[in-house]
């Protein structure tokens, strides 16, 4: 290999740690990393052939240990994850709960360490203000719940009847990795 080829840039760190609550700041940070890696990969795909080389994108790994947080920010991240040309692998390292659960199931490949705990539950919110304000908030919460349910049905083997059961009993559904594997929440236990 020539010296020029050896100095080709390599895309940076691909292991991202998300051990925070889902909020504007934390999602902005991880979103920027995913976009940057994709931009680097796009550039390298164009640059490598100039030197007679093939460039193969390596997956982005997101290590999740989160109790969840704000739904709008979570959905923003999901949009970025789904549009990523570079595969994203998600790993439940500890807690993958609420929005953390949705992040986990939206990986192109999903993993859990043997002591991790994924948890699914309903979208939660609080209402205040005039009656009309509360009615509008209720409609919006139902819309967001519908998005979470659609993603869960699309990305896992969890049935509609199981989701209805969870919603009816208003429970948090804590899973060990074996149960998560059986319901298609993850693809593999590490």
């Amino acid at each position: 290999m020539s010296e020029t080829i050896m100095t080709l840039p390599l895309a940076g760190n691909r292991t991202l740690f998300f051990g925070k609550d889902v909020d504007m700041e934390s999602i902005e940070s991880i979103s920027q990393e995913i976009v940057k890696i994709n931009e680097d990969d796009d550039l390298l795909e164009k640059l490598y052939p100039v030197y007679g080389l093939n460039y193969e994108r390596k997956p982005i790994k997101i290590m999740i240990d989160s109790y969840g947080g704000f739904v709008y920010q979570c959905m923003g991240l999901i949009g970025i994850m789904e549009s990523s040309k570079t595969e994203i692998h998600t790993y439940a390292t500890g807690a993958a709960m609420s929005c953390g659960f949705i992040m986990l199931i939206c990986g192109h490949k999903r993993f859990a360490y043997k002591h991790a705990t994924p948890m699914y539950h309903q979208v939660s919110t609080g209402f205040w203000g005039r009656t009309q304000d509360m009615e509008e908030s209720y409609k919006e919460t139902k819309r967001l719940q519908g998005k979470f349910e659609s993603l869960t049905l699309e990305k896992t083997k969890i049935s509609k009847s199981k989701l209805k059961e969870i919603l009816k009993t208003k429970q948090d559904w804590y899973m060990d990795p074996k149960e998560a594997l059986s319901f298609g929440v993850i693809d593999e236990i590490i």
Side-chain angles (χ1 to χ4, degrees):
M1 290 195 336
S2 76
E3 192 171 323
T4 306
I5 293 174
M6 292 176 67
T7 61
L8 286 175
L10 298 173
N13 183 16
R14 293 175 177 271
T15 303
L16 310 176
F17 291 87
F18 193 88
K20 302 174 183 179
D21 289 337
V22 174
D23 61 24
M24 289 175 85
E25 186 178 320
S26 64
I27 293 302
E28 178 182 3
S29 177
I30 198 164
S31 296
Q32 286 176 347
E33 292 294 324
I34 293 169
V35 169
K36 174 78 170 98
I37 291 168
N38 272 276
E39 288 172 350
D40 288 350
D41 282 350
D42 289 345
L43 176 64
L44 293 172
E45 277 183 338
K46 292 175 186 169
L47 188 58
Y48 269 53
V50 171
Y51 297 99
L53 300 171
N54 290 323
Y55 181 72
E56 190 175 317
R57 292 174 184 252
K58 292 187 173 80
I60 298 167
K61 296 178 182 179
I62 301 177
M63 312 302 258
I64 301 167
D65 188 7
S66 177
Y67 293 105
F70 295 108
V71 175
Y72 293 116
Q73 284 69 37
C74 179
M75 296 309 291
L77 175 62
I78 298 313
I80 289 169
M81 290 172 67
E82 288 180 335
S83 67
S84 177
K85 281 173 54 180
T86 302
E87 249 189 38
I88 296 177
H89 296 183
T90 52
Y91 294 76
T93 62
M97 301 179 180
S98 191
C99 285
F101 177 89
I102 298 299
M103 289 169 61
L104 174 64
I105 66 171
C106 287
H108 296 99
K109 291 187 181 169
R110 295 97 32 104
F111 304 87
Y113 284 87
K114 65 181 183 177
H115 300 296
T117 305
M119 185 271 286
Y120 177 89
H121 67 179
Q122 295 181 56
V123 171
S124 60
T125 188
F127 301 133
W128 62 89
R130 298 176 308 238
T131 303
Q132 182 64 33
D133 297 330
M134 290 187 281
E135 287 174 1
E136 289 170 7
S137 293
Y138 176 72
K139 278 177 67 174
E140 178 60 4
T141 301
K142 295 228 3 136
R143 184 184 76 84
L144 293 173
Q145 179 63 37
K147 284 185 162 291
F148 269 38
E149 289 174 23
S150 292
L151 281 168
T152 302
L153 293 170
E154 175 190 337
K155 308 275 185 185
T156 71
K157 297 177 191 168
I158 297 171
S159 68
K160 239 182 185 174
S161 62
K162 182 64 173 174
L163 280 185
K164 281 183 182 178
E165 175 190 327
I166 296 301
L167 298 175
K168 190 175 182 179
T169 59
K170 301 179 199 161
Q171 69 183 23
D172 294 335
W173 181 14
Y174 295 93
M175 302 173 201
D176 65 29
K178 287 181 182 176
E179 186 176 22
L181 183 64
S182 72
F183 279 99
V185 170
I186 58 171
D187 301 310
E188 187 178 326
I189 300 170
I190 300 174

